[in-house]
Amino acid sequence: MRILVIAAAVLALTVASAQAQMGGGRRHPNEGGQKADNKPKVDDKAYKAALERIPEPKEKYDPWSGARPADPAKKPK
């Protein structure tokens, strides 16, 4: 009898956590016939103009520069 109660408790906890992750089956506010177009419209000309204003880097960026040791002096063979 204890095994049955423990199994039921484990099953209930599993279902409760899965329901919490999936949202419990509630409808989302934007579903069901109401469509909200709150997305901003992208202006291609403004986007291209903003890209042209970004300055070109003088040297190439190295994201691993702090992780590598400094170049040791090369020894002739």
Side-chain angles (χ1 to χ4, degrees), residues 4-5 8 12 14 16-17 19 22 26 28 31 40 44-45 56 61-62 66 68:
L4 183 63
V5 172
T14 304
S17 65
Q19 185 178 12
M22 297 302 291
R26 289 178 277 143
H28 296 289
E31 289 183 20
D44 289 332
K45 288 182 181 179
E56 292 292 325
Y61 176 70
D62 185 14
R68 280 189 242 130

Side-chain angles (χ1 to χ4, degrees), residues 2-72:
R2 285 186 188 177
I3 294 175
L4 183 63
V5 172
I6 292 172
V10 169
L11 182 65
L13 289 174
T14 304
V15 169
S17 65
Q19 185 178 12
Q21 290 178 3
M22 297 302 291
R26 289 178 277 143
R27 293 181 61 134
H28 296 289
N30 290 337
E31 289 183 20
Q34 296 177 343
K35 291 186 178 181
D37 287 332
N38 294 335
K39 295 180 183 177
K41 294 183 180 178
V42 178
D43 187 11
D44 289 332
K45 288 182 181 179
Y47 174 73
K48 289 178 182 178
L51 285 179
E52 290 175 359
R53 287 187 300 233
I54 298 174
E56 292 292 325
K58 292 181 174 51
E59 59 186 45
K60 187 177 179 182
Y61 176 70
D62 185 14
W64 290 94
S65 63
R68 280 189 242 130
D71 292 333

